[in-house]
Amino acid sequence: MDPEIKPYQRNGLVAQRLTLEVDDCTKNLRNNEGLARKRLEGLERKLDKDPQLKEQYFDVFTGYEDEGIIEEVPSNEIVSSQPIYYMPHRPVVKESSTSTKIKPVFDASAASYNGVSLNDCLESGPSLNPDLVKVLIRFRRWKVALTADITKAFLQICVQQKDRDVHRFLFKCKDSIRIMRFVRVPFGNICSHFLLNATIKYHLQSFPNTEVIEELKENLYVDDWLSGADSAEEVSDKFKEAQRILALAGFPLSKWYFGDFDLDTETQLVSTKRAVLSLIAKLFDPLGLISPFVMYAKILFQDIWRLGLDWDEVLPKELQNKFQNWVKSIAALKYWKINRCYFPEISWSKLSGLELHAFGDASEKGYGASVYLRDPLGGGTYQVSFVVARSRVAPIKRVTLPRLELLGALLCARLLDFVMSALYLDKTVTIVVGLTQRLHLHG
């Protein structure tokens, strides 16, 4: 068993849990009911302005209680010798959600009277998530994609009886305030991610290493699973097997989808330093599919930074025009398509003679690297697929071009090693590295 994982029982099912206590919570944690009541009063004033949201928020808690996720504290247990802590909460509305559009968010970091919160008394635990970029790189091996997630993942793990009173909260029902507590692990805990990942990993250790088990171990990121197969029938079988395995630990796998995906980007026209940085941050591109496009904006932001402008100051006309033209070009990304699967016509397991081609170089503006897969088709022909790229702007403090080229070579070597690790390629794979062609990056 992983030494970072400590076993425990969850409703008779094999699961696991990290001991919550790190500091002496009995000594440090204080009953913060009064502060929680003040937060609830403020929340009620806001909800009174939106009766529909208030009713929907009430329904969420009613559902939690019906499902046994939360419970009312019995009157004879309200006063207890055990540590007591109340988590303030508020609704978060997510219109894009296909399931729960309104979710309560609990603040386990709210300080008590002595400045100590519940999260201060909990160990976060190490990150057990796989590398997201590696998961995405592996995801593109399959002809048919499979995505699914665990329903209410964190709320499927029980809190031990002795820890429930530090997971209390106040809930207004009509004209009375009810004192509630969590029976399951709330999302607001600093250790909730570790508890979820550790529980799943411990559960999977009890199964032999089949393809589905390996896929769940390597490609389940928090509660989202990215996998696939070479046919729709194989995808369906893989999902059903994963669903059966996770159900044994009380984790319902649902909201599954199989098919192909296109890159889509949305944005709006802005012209201040703050807005430029905000827009760059919104372009989530872990595989570097649009690295040259993002690189242009980063170089532009660096030019803006050199001018020493305030965050909300309008950009000079020349830079404003460059930025506006860049923003307009974002619309073209909606029509740009890239194959999700590297080689849709050939099963990944049947590829032979696979080659990795890596390129890295620099200019005075920055440096970068990219990696491609090349598959020989015979007769001197090949098919090539882009895998991943990385780019960096040159430091504001001037660096010589040879130094930047060395940085480009280093980035290239690291990226190549990263791809080999992500795709489980051995040392026999043919590697071709090119470090001579100059990058042309115009700011």
Side-chain angles (χ1 to χ4, degrees), residues 206-439:
S206 63
F207 292 86
N209 280 335
T210 64
E211 182 183 3
V212 172
I213 290 295
E214 286 300 313
E215 282 287 303
L216 287 171
K217 287 180 178 179
E218 298 293 335
N219 299 315
L220 184 65
Y221 190 85
V222 189
D223 58 350
D224 292 308
W225 188 39
L226 297 180
S227 185
D230 291 327
S231 68
E233 292 76 17
E234 289 179 83
V235 163
S236 179
D237 291 342
K238 184 175 284 190
F239 172 77
K240 290 177 182 177
E241 178 65 9
Q243 191 177 44
R244 181 189 69 81
I245 291 169
L246 291 177
L248 293 174
F251 292 111
L253 189 65
S254 62
K255 290 204 300 188
W256 73 298
Y257 173 86
F258 71 92
D260 223 325
F261 304 91
D262 295 330
L263 178 67
D264 188 23
T265 308
E266 297 182 1
T267 189
Q268 59 183 359
L269 186 64
V270 290
S271 57
T272 66
K273 186 168 76 171
R274 185 188 304 278
V276 173
L277 181 60
S278 174
L279 189 54
I280 293 173
K282 288 179 181 179
L283 292 174
F284 182 63
D285 181 32
L287 294 180
L289 299 174
I290 55 173
S291 280
F293 181 79
V294 177
M295 187 68 167
Y296 180 93
K298 290 182 177 180
I299 292 172
L300 178 62
F301 182 77
Q302 195 174 71
D303 291 339
I304 296 171
W305 189 269
R306 287 191 181 97
L307 295 178
L309 301 176
D310 291 335
W311 282 101
D312 296 310
E313 186 176 348
V314 177
L315 302 180
K317 191 64 177 179
E318 181 182 357
L319 294 179
Q320 189 175 146
N321 289 339
K322 285 185 177 182
F323 181 63
Q324 289 176 346
N325 289 334
W326 179 80
V327 170
K328 290 177 183 177
S329 67
I330 291 179
L333 295 179
K334 295 182 179 181
Y335 306 101
W336 179 60
K337 295 184 179 181
I338 184 170
N339 285 334
R340 185 202 49 76
C341 180
Y342 294 121
F343 304 118
E345 305 301 324
I346 302 177
S347 171
W348 179 263
S349 61
K350 296 180 180 179
L351 291 172
S352 61
L354 196 63
E355 300 174 0
L356 275 179
H357 288 243
F359 303 91
D361 205 347
S363 77
E364 294 178 351
K365 294 285 187 178
Y367 57 95
S370 58
V371 176
Y372 296 80
L373 286 170
R374 190 171 86 152
D375 174 51
L377 297 176
T381 61
Y382 299 85
Q383 58 178 344
V384 179
S385 183
F386 170 84
V387 180
V388 66
R390 289 286 181 272
S391 60
R392 303 284 188 271
V393 293
I396 291 180
K397 184 178 180 180
R398 187 173 179 80
V399 177
T400 64
L401 186 56
R403 171 69 175 173
L404 290 171
E405 289 175 338
L406 284 174
L407 290 172
L410 177 62
L411 182 61
C412 181
R414 287 176 173 171
L415 197 61
L416 186 61
D417 184 68
F418 183 85
V419 171
M420 291 183 67
S421 172
L423 292 177
Y424 310 117
L425 299 176
D426 57 35
K427 300 297 182 181
T428 63
V429 66
T430 301
I431 298 174
V432 179
V433 180
L435 300 171
T436 57
Q437 185 176 3
R438 291 287 173 87
L439 299 175

Side-chain angles (χ1 to χ4, degrees), residues 6-10 13-17 157 198-199 202-203 249:
K6 299 180 181 179
Y8 81 112
Q9 287 187 336
R10 172 182 169 273
L13 299 175
V14 176
Q16 68 172 28
R17 175 182 185 277
I157 304 174
T199 299
Y202 182 76
H203 174 66

Side-chain angles (χ1 to χ4, degrees), residues 144-157:
V144 182
L146 166 62
T147 67
D149 69 16
I150 299 172
T151 303
K152 297 178 181 176
F154 298 96
L155 297 178
Q156 305 301 337
I157 304 174

Side-chain angles (χ1 to χ4, degrees), residues 4 8 16-22 25 87 106 108-109 117-129 153-155 157-160 163 166-167 184-200 222:
E4 295 174 336
Y8 81 112
Q16 68 172 28
R17 175 182 185 277
L18 174 70
T19 302
L20 291 179
E21 297 80 5
V22 175
C25 289
M87 298 182 294
F106 290 84
S109 295
S117 70
L118 175 61
N119 278 343
D120 292 331
C121 298
L122 302 180
E123 173 62 68
S124 62
S127 174
L128 299 179
N129 279 319
F154 298 96
L155 297 178
I157 304 174
C158 286
V159 176
Q160 290 189 5
D163 293 324
V166 297
H167 292 87
R184 312 283 181 84
V185 174
F187 180 72
N189 274 8
I190 195 173
C191 60
S192 59
H193 280 82
F194 174 81
L195 294 177
L196 173 63
N197 289 320
T199 299
I200 293 173
V222 189

